[in-house]
């Protein structure tokens, strides 16, 4: 499943983006799509910056998770290539979020300097942000599901061991009481 996501995720996202833009062009609503993004990425970018800062926090948490995974976690069982791929996805999301936040401080100046190219640049960074977030959500949902199932099974085993230990203690106590 992870290999499929690696191979085809960005192609699927690209097809969806092309379809949305094509439908907007066919419906004559291209300027509406551009105006929407221009408003949300340039004029009033508070939502975009807020989302980016939240993602930065999430990415720091994911870095912490990747660095502190225990040996029972599926992350520790990943091949080096898969682990590096996972880290690169987190890096891509982190960098795109960080770029949006940093550029928001100079938003007006950059737009005055390069104009609509800046809006196109922000759109590409936005796509990287959203694409990486979706890809990370898929990856970590699958990884966490495995780890949660394993943890739950571990709880069940611990409960069974505790019940067995209690029974053994009880029988040992009964035996010792009879012998004394």
């Amino acid at each position: 499943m992870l290999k499929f996501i690696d191979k085809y995720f960005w192609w699927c996202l690209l097809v969806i983006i092309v379809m949305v833009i094509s439908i907007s062009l066919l419906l004559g609503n291209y300027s509406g799509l551009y105006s929407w993004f221009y408003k949300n990425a340039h004029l009033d970018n508070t939502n975009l910056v807020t989302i980016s800062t939240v993602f930065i926090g999430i990415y720091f948490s994911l870095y912490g998770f990747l660095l502190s995974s225990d040996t029972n976690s599926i992350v520790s069982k990943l091949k080096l290539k898969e682990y590096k791929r996972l880290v690169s996805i987190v890096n891509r999301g982190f960098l795109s979020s960080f770029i949006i936040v940093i550029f928001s401080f100079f938003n007006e100046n950059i737009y005055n300097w390069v104009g609509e190219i800046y809006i196109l640049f922000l759109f590409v960074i936005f796509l990287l942000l959203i694409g990486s977030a979706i890809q990370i959500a898929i990856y970590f949902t699958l990884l966490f599901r495995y780890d949660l199932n394993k943890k739950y099974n571990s709880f069940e085993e611990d409960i069974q061991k505790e019940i067995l230990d209690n029974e053994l203690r009880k029988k040992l106590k009964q035996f010792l009481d009879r012998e004394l």
Side-chain angles (χ1 to χ4, degrees):
M1 181 69 170
L2 295 179
K3 287 183 181 183
F4 176 80
I5 295 168
D6 260 357
K7 269 187 153 178
Y8 300 109
F9 176 79
W10 287 101
W11 285 109
C12 292
L13 186 63
L14 182 65
V15 167
I16 291 170
I17 292 165
V18 168
M19 286 175 46
V20 167
I21 292 173
S22 298
I23 290 171
S24 294
L25 287 172
L26 288 173
L27 296 175
N29 195 19
Y30 176 73
S31 63
L33 183 64
Y34 175 82
S35 297
W36 172 82
F37 189 76
Y38 174 80
K39 177 184 171 276
N40 288 301
H42 175 64
L43 294 180
D44 183 21
N45 65 352
T46 55
N47 287 336
L48 183 59
V49 172
T50 301
I51 290 168
S52 296
T53 55
V54 168
F55 279 142
I56 287 172
I58 291 170
Y59 295 133
F60 272 118
S61 297
L62 292 176
Y63 284 133
F65 172 76
L66 290 172
L67 290 173
S68 65
S69 299
D70 65 5
T71 55
N72 294 329
S73 173
I74 190 150
V75 173
S76 67
K77 293 171 180 45
L78 292 175
K79 295 176 185 168
L80 181 61
K81 184 178 179 180
E82 294 170 332
Y83 188 81
K84 285 182 176 181
R85 179 72 181 134
L86 196 56
V87 170
S88 73
I89 294 169
V90 175
N91 287 342
R92 184 183 318 117
F94 175 77
L95 287 174
S96 59
S97 296
F98 194 74
I99 287 170
I100 288 175
V101 171
I102 294 299
F103 276 47
S104 71
F105 292 112
F106 311 105
N107 209 9
E108 192 63 40
N109 294 338
I110 297 171
Y111 182 76
N112 290 336
W113 186 46
V114 292
E116 293 176 352
I117 294 171
Y118 178 60
I119 303 302
L120 179 62
F121 171 76
L122 284 178
F123 185 69
V124 170
I125 296 298
F126 172 74
L127 293 178
L128 285 173
L129 173 91
I130 296 300
S132 295
I134 293 169
Q135 195 174 21
I136 287 169
I138 293 168
Y139 263 103
F140 279 92
T141 298
L142 296 173
L143 292 175
F144 287 150
R145 183 179 62 184
Y146 175 84
D147 281 349
L148 286 174
N149 287 337
K150 191 165 184 144
K151 190 68 158 178
Y152 179 78
N153 292 337
S154 172
F155 288 150
E156 289 292 320
E157 290 173 10
D158 289 346
I159 290 170
Q160 293 301 323
K161 286 178 186 176
E162 188 175 326
I163 290 171
L164 185 63
D165 286 347
N166 287 337
E167 287 178 16
L168 283 173
R169 279 191 210 111
K170 186 177 178 181
K171 287 180 182 179
L172 181 61
K173 184 174 180 345
Q174 289 172 352
F175 174 76
L176 290 174
D177 285 344
R178 278 189 311 230
E179 294 299 316
L180 297 176

